[in-house]
Amino acid sequence: MDLESVLQKVINSIELPVAIKRGYMNGKKLPELRIYMLPGSNVIDCDYDGNKTEQFNFEIAMRADDEALINECLFSIAEMLGSTDFSVTSSDRSFLFNSLQLTSFPHVISIDVSGVAVYVLDFQVVVDTFNK
């Protein structure tokens, strides 16, 4: 399923000073903006053919030494994801988008002694997947 890569492409389509990448932060360069799936995703419904409605938990994290830059990026992403007309389309037809719900607004989770901060934005995506 290409949900994570489709979300990455849609986020990168808005004009941000930093491109978003998939996977966890590696701390090799600043600023760093990442999207990754969180544990706790689950099947909401399943029919006899094996088609499912599934909920996936995602997090977007940004690490930088400029909190204004972090806020600019994450609040722009939150505004786009939280829009009532937001939708994504699978490029390989592996899912049909149902809904997206922001579960937290961008918030700080750590700041080190050198002033490098990490902020996160959490959301859930509900999609239909099909048994092929």
PDB file of all heavy atoms in Angstrom, residues 18-39:
ATOM      1  N   VAL A  18      11.310  23.251   3.647  1.00  0.00           N
ATOM      2  CA  VAL A  18      11.995  21.976   3.870  1.00  0.00           C
ATOM      3  C   VAL A  18      11.146  20.868   3.255  1.00  0.00           C
ATOM      4  O   VAL A  18       9.938  20.821   3.485  1.00  0.00           O
ATOM      5  CB  VAL A  18      12.175  21.702   5.385  1.00  0.00           C
ATOM      6  CG1 VAL A  18      12.898  20.388   5.618  1.00  0.00           C
ATOM      7  CG2 VAL A  18      12.909  22.847   6.062  1.00  0.00           C
ATOM      8  N   ALA A  19      11.760  19.985   2.496  1.00  0.00           N
ATOM      9  CA  ALA A  19      11.040  18.849   1.916  1.00  0.00           C
ATOM     10  C   ALA A  19      10.858  17.756   2.971  1.00  0.00           C
ATOM     11  O   ALA A  19      11.728  17.535   3.809  1.00  0.00           O
ATOM     12  CB  ALA A  19      11.799  18.286   0.720  1.00  0.00           C
ATOM     13  N   ILE A  20       9.704  17.093   2.930  1.00  0.00           N
ATOM     14  CA  ILE A  20       9.443  16.021   3.879  1.00  0.00           C
ATOM     15  C   ILE A  20       9.949  14.700   3.298  1.00  0.00           C
ATOM     16  O   ILE A  20       9.842  14.449   2.102  1.00  0.00           O
ATOM     17  CB  ILE A  20       7.943  15.955   4.238  1.00  0.00           C
ATOM     18  CG1 ILE A  20       7.723  15.045   5.447  1.00  0.00           C
ATOM     19  CG2 ILE A  20       7.099  15.518   3.060  1.00  0.00           C
ATOM     20  CD1 ILE A  20       6.361  15.192   6.088  1.00  0.00           C
ATOM     21  N   LYS A  21      10.531  13.881   4.177  1.00  0.00           N
ATOM     22  CA  LYS A  21      11.031  12.559   3.798  1.00  0.00           C
ATOM     23  C   LYS A  21      10.324  11.519   4.651  1.00  0.00           C
ATOM     24  O   LYS A  21       9.815  11.828   5.724  1.00  0.00           O
ATOM     25  CB  LYS A  21      12.543  12.479   4.013  1.00  0.00           C
ATOM     26  CG  LYS A  21      13.317  13.420   3.123  1.00  0.00           C
ATOM     27  CD  LYS A  21      14.796  13.299   3.362  1.00  0.00           C
ATOM     28  CE  LYS A  21      15.545  14.269   2.450  1.00  0.00           C
ATOM     29  NZ  LYS A  21      16.976  14.238   2.703  1.00  0.00           N
ATOM     30  N   ARG A  22      10.334  10.283   4.181  1.00  0.00           N
ATOM     31  CA  ARG A  22       9.731   9.191   4.938  1.00  0.00           C
ATOM     32  C   ARG A  22      10.758   8.567   5.875  1.00  0.00           C
ATOM     33  O   ARG A  22      11.948   8.568   5.597  1.00  0.00           O
ATOM     34  CB  ARG A  22       9.184   8.120   3.999  1.00  0.00           C
ATOM     35  CG  ARG A  22       7.961   8.603   3.255  1.00  0.00           C
ATOM     36  CD  ARG A  22       7.368   7.528   2.410  1.00  0.00           C
ATOM     37  NE  ARG A  22       8.344   7.126   1.405  1.00  0.00           N
ATOM     38  CZ  ARG A  22       8.232   6.053   0.656  1.00  0.00           C
ATOM     39  NH1 ARG A  22       7.208   5.266   0.781  1.00  0.00           N
ATOM     40  NH2 ARG A  22       9.141   5.762  -0.238  1.00  0.00           N
ATOM     41  N   GLY A  23      10.271   8.046   6.995  1.00  0.00           N
ATOM     42  CA  GLY A  23      11.137   7.372   7.956  1.00  0.00           C
ATOM     43  C   GLY A  23      11.463   8.252   9.138  1.00  0.00           C
ATOM     44  O   GLY A  23      11.155   9.440   9.164  1.00  0.00           O
ATOM     45  N   TYR A  24      12.082   7.638  10.112  1.00  0.00           N
ATOM     46  CA  TYR A  24      12.415   8.333  11.354  1.00  0.00           C
ATOM     47  C   TYR A  24      13.584   9.290  11.162  1.00  0.00           C
ATOM     48  O   TYR A  24      14.393   9.126  10.254  1.00  0.00           O
ATOM     49  CB  TYR A  24      12.744   7.323  12.462  1.00  0.00           C
ATOM     50  CG  TYR A  24      11.575   6.448  12.797  1.00  0.00           C
ATOM     51  CD1 TYR A  24      11.529   5.125  12.382  1.00  0.00           C
ATOM     52  CD2 TYR A  24      10.495   6.948  13.515  1.00  0.00           C
ATOM     53  CE1 TYR A  24      10.443   4.317  12.684  1.00  0.00           C
ATOM     54  CE2 TYR A  24       9.406   6.158  13.815  1.00  0.00           C
ATOM     55  CZ  TYR A  24       9.385   4.842  13.397  1.00  0.00           C
ATOM     56  OH  TYR A  24       8.300   4.061  13.685  1.00  0.00           O
ATOM     57  N   MET A  25      13.676  10.274  12.037  1.00  0.00           N
ATOM     58  CA  MET A  25      14.766  11.242  11.970  1.00  0.00           C
ATOM     59  C   MET A  25      16.092  10.552  12.257  1.00  0.00           C
ATOM     60  O   MET A  25      16.166   9.672  13.098  1.00  0.00           O
ATOM     61  CB  MET A  25      14.530  12.376  12.974  1.00  0.00           C
ATOM     62  CG  MET A  25      13.378  13.262  12.575  1.00  0.00           C
ATOM     63  SD  MET A  25      13.207  14.733  13.596  1.00  0.00           S
ATOM     64  CE  MET A  25      12.691  14.016  15.115  1.00  0.00           C
ATOM     65  N   ASN A  26      17.120  10.988  11.538  1.00  0.00           N
ATOM     66  CA  ASN A  26      18.440  10.410  11.763  1.00  0.00           C
ATOM     67  C   ASN A  26      19.408  11.404  12.390  1.00  0.00           C
ATOM     68  O   ASN A  26      20.508  11.036  12.769  1.00  0.00           O
ATOM     69  CB  ASN A  26      19.025   9.832  10.464  1.00  0.00           C
ATOM     70  CG  ASN A  26      19.161  10.869   9.371  1.00  0.00           C
ATOM     71  OD1 ASN A  26      19.256  12.065   9.632  1.00  0.00           O
ATOM     72  ND2 ASN A  26      19.165  10.406   8.126  1.00  0.00           N
ATOM     73  N   GLY A  27      19.027  12.686  12.479  1.00  0.00           N
ATOM     74  CA  GLY A  27      19.854  13.687  13.139  1.00  0.00           C
ATOM     75  C   GLY A  27      21.101  14.079  12.384  1.00  0.00           C
ATOM     76  O   GLY A  27      21.988  14.710  12.945  1.00  0.00           O
ATOM     77  N   LYS A  28      21.198  13.740  11.101  1.00  0.00           N
ATOM     78  CA  LYS A  28      22.418  14.022  10.355  1.00  0.00           C
ATOM     79  C   LYS A  28      22.516  15.456   9.867  1.00  0.00           C
ATOM     80  O   LYS A  28      23.601  15.964   9.662  1.00  0.00           O
ATOM     81  CB  LYS A  28      22.560  13.055   9.187  1.00  0.00           C
ATOM     82  CG  LYS A  28      22.827  11.641   9.647  1.00  0.00           C
ATOM     83  CD  LYS A  28      23.054  10.706   8.482  1.00  0.00           C
ATOM     84  CE  LYS A  28      23.335   9.306   8.999  1.00  0.00           C
ATOM     85  NZ  LYS A  28      23.493   8.353   7.914  1.00  0.00           N
ATOM     86  N   LYS A  29      21.345  16.108   9.620  1.00  0.00           N
ATOM     87  CA  LYS A  29      21.412  17.504   9.202  1.00  0.00           C
ATOM     88  C   LYS A  29      20.178  18.248   9.669  1.00  0.00           C
ATOM     89  O   LYS A  29      19.137  17.661   9.939  1.00  0.00           O
ATOM     90  CB  LYS A  29      21.611  17.623   7.688  1.00  0.00           C
ATOM     91  CG  LYS A  29      20.420  17.323   6.836  1.00  0.00           C
ATOM     92  CD  LYS A  29      20.776  17.513   5.363  1.00  0.00           C
ATOM     93  CE  LYS A  29      19.597  18.053   4.607  1.00  0.00           C
ATOM     94  NZ  LYS A  29      19.808  18.216   3.197  1.00  0.00           N
ATOM     95  N   LEU A  30      20.324  19.558   9.780  1.00  0.00           N
ATOM     96  CA  LEU A  30      19.220  20.428  10.182  1.00  0.00           C
ATOM     97  C   LEU A  30      18.837  21.315   9.005  1.00  0.00           C
ATOM     98  O   LEU A  30      19.721  21.731   8.259  1.00  0.00           O
ATOM     99  CB  LEU A  30      19.641  21.324  11.356  1.00  0.00           C
ATOM    100  CG  LEU A  30      19.895  20.655  12.688  1.00  0.00           C
ATOM    101  CD1 LEU A  30      20.396  21.681  13.701  1.00  0.00           C
ATOM    102  CD2 LEU A  30      18.658  19.988  13.214  1.00  0.00           C
ATOM    103  N   PRO A  31      17.612  21.670   8.822  1.00  0.00           N
ATOM    104  CA  PRO A  31      16.437  21.129   9.482  1.00  0.00           C
ATOM    105  C   PRO A  31      16.070  19.776   8.881  1.00  0.00           C
ATOM    106  O   PRO A  31      16.491  19.445   7.776  1.00  0.00           O
ATOM    107  CB  PRO A  31      15.354  22.164   9.187  1.00  0.00           C
ATOM    108  CG  PRO A  31      15.780  22.798   7.905  1.00  0.00           C
ATOM    109  CD  PRO A  31      17.283  22.745   7.887  1.00  0.00           C
ATOM    110  N   GLU A  32      15.267  19.026   9.627  1.00  0.00           N
ATOM    111  CA  GLU A  32      14.860  17.686   9.201  1.00  0.00           C
ATOM    112  C   GLU A  32      13.349  17.556   9.402  1.00  0.00           C
ATOM    113  O   GLU A  32      12.844  17.845  10.483  1.00  0.00           O
ATOM    114  CB  GLU A  32      15.615  16.654  10.047  1.00  0.00           C
ATOM    115  CG  GLU A  32      15.425  15.246   9.617  1.00  0.00           C
ATOM    116  CD  GLU A  32      16.310  14.287  10.416  1.00  0.00           C
ATOM    117  OE1 GLU A  32      16.837  14.667  11.479  1.00  0.00           O
ATOM    118  OE2 GLU A  32      16.444  13.154   9.958  1.00  0.00           O
ATOM    119  N   LEU A  33      12.632  17.148   8.363  1.00  0.00           N
ATOM    120  CA  LEU A  33      11.181  16.996   8.395  1.00  0.00           C
ATOM    121  C   LEU A  33      10.852  15.591   7.915  1.00  0.00           C
ATOM    122  O   LEU A  33      11.230  15.205   6.807  1.00  0.00           O
ATOM    123  CB  LEU A  33      10.525  18.056   7.497  1.00  0.00           C
ATOM    124  CG  LEU A  33       9.012  18.074   7.389  1.00  0.00           C
ATOM    125  CD1 LEU A  33       8.358  18.331   8.744  1.00  0.00           C
ATOM    126  CD2 LEU A  33       8.572  19.138   6.387  1.00  0.00           C
ATOM    127  N   ARG A  34      10.137  14.817   8.752  1.00  0.00           N
ATOM    128  CA  ARG A  34       9.879  13.400   8.463  1.00  0.00           C
ATOM    129  C   ARG A  34       8.425  13.029   8.695  1.00  0.00           C
ATOM    130  O   ARG A  34       7.758  13.587   9.564  1.00  0.00           O
ATOM    131  CB  ARG A  34      10.739  12.517   9.367  1.00  0.00           C
ATOM    132  CG  ARG A  34      12.231  12.680   9.204  1.00  0.00           C
ATOM    133  CD  ARG A  34      12.684  12.159   7.855  1.00  0.00           C
ATOM    134  NE  ARG A  34      14.124  12.180   7.735  1.00  0.00           N
ATOM    135  CZ  ARG A  34      14.825  11.205   7.197  1.00  0.00           C
ATOM    136  NH1 ARG A  34      14.234  10.127   6.748  1.00  0.00           N
ATOM    137  NH2 ARG A  34      16.123  11.313   7.091  1.00  0.00           N
ATOM    138  N   ILE A  35       7.951  12.039   7.923  1.00  0.00           N
ATOM    139  CA  ILE A  35       6.643  11.424   8.137  1.00  0.00           C
ATOM    140  C   ILE A  35       6.859   9.927   8.320  1.00  0.00           C
ATOM    141  O   ILE A  35       7.680   9.327   7.624  1.00  0.00           O
ATOM    142  CB  ILE A  35       5.662  11.701   6.972  1.00  0.00           C
ATOM    143  CG1 ILE A  35       4.285  11.107   7.283  1.00  0.00           C
ATOM    144  CG2 ILE A  35       6.202  11.198   5.654  1.00  0.00           C
ATOM    145  CD1 ILE A  35       3.194  11.522   6.308  1.00  0.00           C
ATOM    146  N   TYR A  36       6.137   9.350   9.286  1.00  0.00           N
ATOM    147  CA  TYR A  36       6.236   7.908   9.530  1.00  0.00           C
ATOM    148  C   TYR A  36       4.965   7.415  10.203  1.00  0.00           C
ATOM    149  O   TYR A  36       4.222   8.180  10.811  1.00  0.00           O
ATOM    150  CB  TYR A  36       7.460   7.566  10.385  1.00  0.00           C
ATOM    151  CG  TYR A  36       7.660   8.454  11.587  1.00  0.00           C
ATOM    152  CD1 TYR A  36       7.032   8.178  12.803  1.00  0.00           C
ATOM    153  CD2 TYR A  36       8.476   9.576  11.503  1.00  0.00           C
ATOM    154  CE1 TYR A  36       7.215   9.002  13.896  1.00  0.00           C
ATOM    155  CE2 TYR A  36       8.663  10.403  12.596  1.00  0.00           C
ATOM    156  CZ  TYR A  36       8.030  10.107  13.792  1.00  0.00           C
ATOM    157  OH  TYR A  36       8.210  10.930  14.878  1.00  0.00           O
ATOM    158  N   MET A  37       4.728   6.113  10.058  1.00  0.00           N
ATOM    159  CA  MET A  37       3.556   5.501  10.648  1.00  0.00           C
ATOM    160  C   MET A  37       3.856   5.142  12.100  1.00  0.00           C
ATOM    161  O   MET A  37       4.963   4.700  12.428  1.00  0.00           O
ATOM    162  CB  MET A  37       3.166   4.242   9.873  1.00  0.00           C
ATOM    163  CG  MET A  37       1.748   3.782  10.138  1.00  0.00           C
ATOM    164  SD  MET A  37       1.239   2.369   9.151  1.00  0.00           S
ATOM    165  CE  MET A  37       1.416   2.993   7.503  1.00  0.00           C
ATOM    166  N   LEU A  38       2.864   5.350  12.956  1.00  0.00           N
ATOM    167  CA  LEU A  38       2.987   5.021  14.375  1.00  0.00           C
ATOM    168  C   LEU A  38       2.328   3.670  14.662  1.00  0.00           C
ATOM    169  O   LEU A  38       1.451   3.228  13.918  1.00  0.00           O
ATOM    170  CB  LEU A  38       2.291   6.084  15.226  1.00  0.00           C
ATOM    171  CG  LEU A  38       2.937   7.460  15.258  1.00  0.00           C
ATOM    172  CD1 LEU A  38       2.035   8.435  16.010  1.00  0.00           C
ATOM    173  CD2 LEU A  38       4.301   7.397  15.906  1.00  0.00           C
ATOM    174  N   PRO A  39       2.705   3.027  15.761  1.00  0.00           N
ATOM    175  CA  PRO A  39       2.010   1.813  16.169  1.00  0.00           C
ATOM    176  C   PRO A  39       0.564   2.125  16.558  1.00  0.00           C
ATOM    177  O   PRO A  39       0.217   3.273  16.821  1.00  0.00           O
ATOM    178  CB  PRO A  39       2.783   1.341  17.406  1.00  0.00           C
ATOM    179  CG  PRO A  39       3.966   2.207  17.537  1.00  0.00           C
ATOM    180  CD  PRO A  39       3.796   3.389  16.646  1.00  0.00           C
TER     181      PRO A  39
END
